[in-house]
Amino acid sequence: EDKVVQSPLSLVVHEGDTVTLNCSYEVTNFRSLLWYKQEKKAPTFLFMLTSSGIEKKSGRLSSILDKKELFSILNITATQTGDSAIYLCAVVSGGYQKVTFGTGTKLQVIP
Amino acid sequence: DVKVTQSSRYLVKRTGEKVFLECVQDMDHENMFWYRQDPGLGLRLIYFSYDVKMKEKGDIPEGYSVSREKKERFSLILESASTNQTSMYLCASSFPSYEQYFGPGTRLTVT
C-alpha cells in the first residue's frame, strides 16, 4: 500500500522564524511529489518535484526532493501570519498516476 | 484559468438515500479524482479516472462508485448514504504527472 507521511503534524512559530516541513514516502513506481497549501478552502499548488537534488524556489518557499532516501522538505523562511495553513504533500505513482496525500502539517504563525 | 466546479457546496441527505456528487473541469484534463477530507486524516483518495469510462479504486472505495461518461465530468455516487460518509468531498483534475487543480469542495452531511 502506498504511504505518505508528513511531520510534524502541527507547528506553532513566531513571525520571522524559519520552518522545515518533512514528507517521506513509500510508493510503487514513483512519478513526482507535489506540495500544496490549504487555507480554509481547497488546496492550492506550490511545487512539483521529479528530480533528486534540484531545489524549487518561490519567494520565501523552497523545496527539495531526495529520491534515494524517499523524502522531501519544504522550507519557509521569514514566516508571516499569512503562511498559517495546512501544508500537504502528495506523491504521484504507478502507471495510472495515482495520487496519495499525507495527512498534512498544520502551521500556525503567531505575531 | 483552469476551472473545476462541483455541483453543490453544501448538501444534507438522509441515511439510505442515493447521493450524486458531480464534478466538471474545463481544461481537457485526462485525470480526475475524488477525495474525502476529514480532520486528522488528510485527503484520502476514493476513486480516480485516467480516461473516459476508465476508473481505478483509491484507498477507500467502499460505499462509493463513480461514473465518467464524458471527459470533462466525473461523478461520485453514494449508493446508500450512511452517517460515516459525512465529510468534505473534493474533486480534482490534472494532466498525467502534472499538478492537480481542485474544485471548491462539497460538504456533505448525512443524518
Side-chain angles (χ1 to χ4, degrees):
Chain A
E1 188 187 319
D2 295 336
K3 200 187 293 188
V4 179
V5 177
Q6 291 185 246
S7 64
L9 291 180
S10 66
L11 196 53
V12 181
V13 301
H14 286 97
E15 267 191 318
D17 287 352
T18 293
V19 298
T20 298
L21 310 182
N22 303 292
C23 175
S24 64
Y25 60 90
E26 288 177 38
V27 301
T28 304
N29 193 6
F30 172 90
R31 300 273 184 163
S32 60
L33 186 143
L34 307 164
W35 283 98
Y36 289 85
K37 178 182 181 182
Q38 186 175 26
E39 296 168 272
K40 291 188 192 302
K41 45 192 174 155
T44 53
F45 171 75
L46 294 174
F47 296 113
M48 183 171 76
L49 302 148
T50 54
S51 302
S52 257
I54 297 176
E55 187 182 48
K56 290 274 180 104
K57 206 168 164 62
S58 176
R60 296 175 295 102
L61 278 67
S62 64
S63 183
I64 197 158
L65 173 67
D66 185 329
K67 285 168 78 172
K68 186 178 173 197
E69 300 297 330
L70 309 183
F71 77 91
S72 173
I73 59 172
L74 175 69
N75 276 323
I76 309 173
T77 59
T79 51
Q80 302 171 356
T81 54
D83 295 325
S84 297
I86 297 173
Y87 290 85
L88 296 164
C89 171
V91 175
V92 183
S93 62
Y96 295 131
Q97 316 275 333
K98 178 186 173 190
V99 182
T100 304
F101 277 81
T103 52
T105 293
K106 185 174 182 179
L107 173 66
Q108 186 181 356
V109 182
I110 54 179
Chain B
D1 257 2
V2 174
K3 200 150 190 183
V4 180
T5 56
Q6 293 182 228
S7 49
S8 308
R9 293 299 301 274
Y10 300 94
L11 209 51
V12 180
K13 295 291 181 181
R14 295 224 171 140
T15 302
E17 277 192 87
K18 190 168 185 173
V19 182
F20 292 88
L21 302 181
E22 290 234 301
C23 175
V24 178
Q25 51 96 1
D26 67 357
M27 276 301 287
D28 205 33
H29 285 164
E30 277 95 354
N31 293 3
M32 295 188 76
F33 306 81
W34 275 107
Y35 296 90
R36 62 178 283 178
Q37 186 171 30
D38 302 287
L41 297 176
L43 272 80
R44 292 181 291 165
L45 181 64
I46 304 171
Y47 269 97
F48 67 107
S49 168
Y50 53 91
D51 201 352
V52 175
K53 297 193 191 292
M54 306 305 284
K55 61 187 178 188
E56 286 288 321
K57 290 180 181 178
D59 299 312
I60 51 161
E62 297 79 20
Y64 303 94
S65 62
V66 290
S67 171
R68 191 157 180 211
E69 296 296 320
K70 292 185 177 181
K71 194 174 185 181
E72 67 270 18
R73 190 179 297 267
F74 192 35
S75 302
L76 179 69
I77 303 150
L78 287 67
E79 294 289 342
S80 176
S82 63
T83 54
N84 63 14
Q85 292 178 310
T86 291
S87 187
M88 170 67 85
Y89 289 87
L90 287 162
C91 173
S93 72
S94 74
F95 287 118
S97 290
Y98 283 79
E99 69 269 25
Q100 295 172 306
Y101 292 85
F102 283 85
T106 296
R107 187 165 291 283
L108 172 68
T109 303
V110 182
T111 61

